[in-house]
Amino acid sequence: MGSTEVNSTPKKSSESNDAADVYGPNLKILPCNNQVKELQTILRDRRTTRSDFKFYADRLIRLVIEESLNQLSFFKCVVVTPTGAKYNGLRYQKGNCGVSIVRSGEAMEQGLRDCCRSIRIGKILVESDADTHEARVVYAKFPDDISERKVLLMYPIMSTGNTVIKAIAVLKEHNVLEENIILSNLFCTPIAAKTLITAFPQMKILTSEIHSIAPNHFGQKYFGCSRFIIEGTTNVQENAKR
């Protein structure tokens, strides 16, 4: 058992490097270790209770947000320590904000606030037509100067990428530069990754995993707004296409 656990992490690291080669340098996968894999496993397990789901989702969200912040711009600075010594360090460049795609994207807001206490957060609501499944934006609220900011766009689950494409289109309508958008995501399918990289080659994407099956129940279970049926292999998932 010990040798199996030791060998599992390097294998996953190799898969992550392969994915980066396939999708290009602007798609980054959270470095996977046994802890990250356990969190992903718990969130995918249908037996996980809602309270446990929320707890472990918040842990994974925090890791993804922390890594997303590494994609922001820093500048060198010198500070003086309490002992009077000078220390060469780094600071974030000012002008960052978060934007969550309602509703599941709101699950990531607290993780961002925990890391950036005073950061401003906007919202975008995208709904899917019940008949055509076409995504459309019904609400958007941003800081007035969002065009001058780096934007951390938050959306945990991407199956097709349609919702995110609509959200980015709205940001670009508000003159946000594509290269100033960093998409923070938990689970992404290969189709969604390809679609977004093709549509927005200058945008950065940070995800914890690329897998053909996305846990589309995430938002419903996190917020406790739906009932799950544990019977055979069936459960109730979100019907809206992402």
Side-chain angles (χ1 to χ4, degrees):
M1 177 177 288
S3 62
T4 301
E5 293 177 351
V6 170
N7 292 334
S8 63
T9 300
K11 182 179 179 181
K12 184 65 179 180
S13 176
S14 175
E15 291 173 355
S16 298
N17 291 335
D18 291 343
D21 293 338
V22 171
Y23 301 109
N26 282 342
L27 188 146
K28 302 179 185 299
I29 299 176
L30 183 71
C32 189
N33 51 37
N34 290 337
Q35 176 186 206
V36 171
K37 192 64 177 179
E38 181 195 32
L39 296 176
Q40 294 168 340
T41 302
I42 292 172
L43 297 182
R44 288 182 177 275
D45 190 343
R46 63 177 184 166
R47 298 170 298 177
T48 301
T49 64
R50 181 184 171 249
S51 60
D52 282 349
F53 186 92
K54 189 175 185 303
F55 176 82
Y56 291 107
D58 286 340
R59 285 186 57 192
L60 184 59
I61 287 169
R62 179 64 179 264
L63 293 174
V64 169
I65 291 295
E66 293 276 9
E67 190 64 26
S68 297
L69 294 175
N70 282 331
Q71 312 307 316
L72 295 175
S73 300
F74 293 80
F75 66 91
K76 295 180 180 179
C77 67
V78 178
V79 297
V80 179
T81 71
T83 61
K86 292 184 177 180
Y87 178 80
N88 296 320
L90 295 174
R91 291 189 190 277
Y92 284 124
Q93 287 187 359
K94 292 184 178 181
N96 304 311
C97 73
V99 172
S100 64
I101 302 178
V102 180
R103 181 178 188 192
S104 59
E106 293 175 306
M108 305 180 73
E109 289 182 6
Q110 189 58 50
L112 179 58
R113 288 195 177 97
D114 288 342
C115 298
C116 304
R117 185 171 53 184
S118 60
I119 194 167
R120 300 182 66 182
I121 297 179
K123 295 179 184 291
I124 299 175
L125 174 58
V126 181
E127 290 184 346
S128 295
D129 185 274
D131 297 322
T132 65
H133 298 293
E134 182 179 353
R136 61 187 182 91
V137 176
V138 297
Y139 174 82
K141 179 67 174 178
F142 307 128
D144 293 337
D145 59 348
I146 192 170
S147 63
E148 302 171 12
R149 294 174 179 264
K150 294 284 184 71
V151 177
L152 272 73
L153 183 62
M154 298 173 285
Y155 197 56
I157 310 298
M158 294 193 298
S159 294
T160 65
N162 292 341
T163 297
V164 175
I165 286 175
K166 290 292 184 181
I168 295 173
V170 174
L171 290 173
K172 296 183 75 170
E173 287 174 5
H174 285 74
N175 299 317
V176 177
L177 297 178
E178 186 177 309
E179 57 266 32
N180 285 344
I181 302 174
I182 301 168
L183 175 60
S184 298
N185 168 258
L186 301 186
F187 299 97
C188 181
T189 66
I191 292 175
K194 276 286 189 183
T195 298
L196 290 171
I197 287 296
T198 301
F200 309 108
Q202 299 180 66
M203 178 184 69
K204 292 182 179 178
I205 301 174
L206 194 289
T207 186
S208 86
E209 184 181 45
I210 294 181
H211 194 281
S212 58
I213 301 174
N216 289 333
H217 63 281
F218 182 92
Q220 293 175 328
K221 195 160 186 176
Y222 186 94
F223 292 107
C225 58
S226 71
R227 205 170 61 178
F228 289 83
I229 303 172
I230 307 301
E231 181 178 330
T233 58
T234 304
N235 61 14
V236 177
Q237 298 184 344
E238 293 179 340
N239 292 322
K241 289 184 70 176
R242 301 188 188 285

